[in-house]
Amino acid sequence: MRDPLMMKPVLNISPLTMPQPEAMQPRHRTAGQWFSHVQTVDQRRSMQDWLTNRDSLTARLVARCGQFRVQRLSQHKALCLTDEYAALGLARVEKVHQREVILRCDGEAMIYGHTVVPLTATAAQWPLFRGLGERSLGSTLFNDPLVERGRLSFARLHAQHPLMRRIRAVLPQIQAVSLPARRSLFWRKGACLLVTEVFLPAVLTLPVLLSEP
């Protein structure tokens, strides 16, 4: 049987025409409210630096620890979240390709990563996505000259958000009632993927570098 990822047509959306404004997203109790300004989400300068920096998050973590690891939690088809479908240019909640990971520095969980790709994307558009395993998606994106990144959006995810429930399930030691997160779209050959990164408390324990690598 042929891989469905290879059989789907190209999603004909451009970065200039695609998502609805974030203010038009449906407001559900379990949906995050995404903002263009980080001050709405977190007042701490140290956390704002992590949230707003547009360089490779993987590279920033690698520079601050002895051993960096991508722990893949899952990669399969699943329904997108209620606060994701509009950003993806979809008309409603529907199935997408989903990947979830934890980024660890010296064994400590720093970032919960959640990536979704519309089923209409083809393997030619995102050729390495299915075979990433425990390799960093960020390294792939930032080293591909065909990839373009959209603007960052920020949210504070509260206890009932699906990603917060998943974080508590795999990291029960995290007792925070809310966590800061950011997300952005990446584009390649007309297809998008949406990367959401939830910043866990331990990220603020990493050393401050005088200059980035």
Side-chain angles (χ1 to χ4, degrees):
M1 182 180 294
R2 294 180 63 189
D3 187 337
L5 185 60
M6 299 293 292
M7 299 171 65
K8 293 290 184 179
V10 173
L11 182 64
N12 187 22
I13 302 176
S14 76
L16 297 178
T17 61
M18 61 85 44
Q20 300 177 24
E22 305 245 9
M24 296 172 61
Q25 294 175 39
R27 296 299 184 223
H28 301 283
R29 186 169 61 90
T30 57
Q33 295 190 24
W34 294 89
F35 302 95
S36 58
H37 299 292
V38 72
Q39 290 87 352
T40 310
V41 171
D42 203 299
Q43 297 295 318
R44 295 169 294 178
R45 290 287 185 89
S46 55
M47 183 59 76
Q48 288 180 6
D49 177 68
W50 281 102
L51 289 167
T52 59
N53 189 290
R54 292 179 60 87
D55 296 334
S56 166
L57 180 57
T58 295
R60 299 193 79 202
L61 293 173
V62 167
R64 289 164 169 80
C65 62
Q67 184 177 32
F68 172 79
R69 179 193 170 198
V70 177
Q71 178 189 356
R72 188 179 73 165
L73 301 174
S74 64
Q75 186 162 341
H76 54 80
K77 292 179 183 177
L79 290 174
C80 67
L81 305 181
T82 57
D83 57 3
E84 289 181 327
Y85 72 85
L88 290 167
L90 303 175
R92 63 189 66 84
V93 172
E94 59 183 69
K95 282 193 173 181
V96 293
H97 297 285
Q98 175 183 281
R99 171 181 166 88
E100 295 190 316
V101 302
I102 294 174
L103 305 184
R104 294 181 177 272
C105 284
D106 299 320
E108 189 79 19
M110 299 291 166
I111 305 291
Y112 189 93
H114 168 83
T115 302
V116 288
V117 185
L119 296 186
T120 48
T122 69
Q125 292 168 312
W126 296 112
L128 300 178
F129 183 76
R130 290 187 65 230
L132 278 172
E134 295 206 331
R135 288 180 295 166
S136 165
L137 172 64
S139 296
T140 301
L141 296 175
F142 280 87
N143 289 314
D144 187 337
L146 297 180
V147 172
E148 296 182 11
R149 188 181 195 178
R151 64 184 177 89
L152 291 168
S153 297
F154 311 97
R156 180 158 286 276
L157 304 185
H158 295 280
Q160 295 306 309
H161 191 279
L163 296 186
M164 287 292 289
R165 296 201 300 267
R166 296 175 198 179
I167 289 170
R168 291 196 302 271
V170 296
L171 299 168
Q173 70 273 23
I174 293 182
Q175 300 297 317
V177 297
S178 67
L179 290 170
R182 71 178 187 182
R183 72 182 187 184
S184 59
L185 284 164
F186 290 83
W187 294 87
R188 189 180 189 277
K189 293 186 175 181
C192 68
L193 59 77
L194 181 65
V195 177
T196 301
E197 296 152 333
V198 185
F199 289 73
L200 306 178
V203 76
L204 293 183
T205 69
L206 292 172
V208 177
L209 301 184
L210 294 179
S211 61
E212 294 292 336

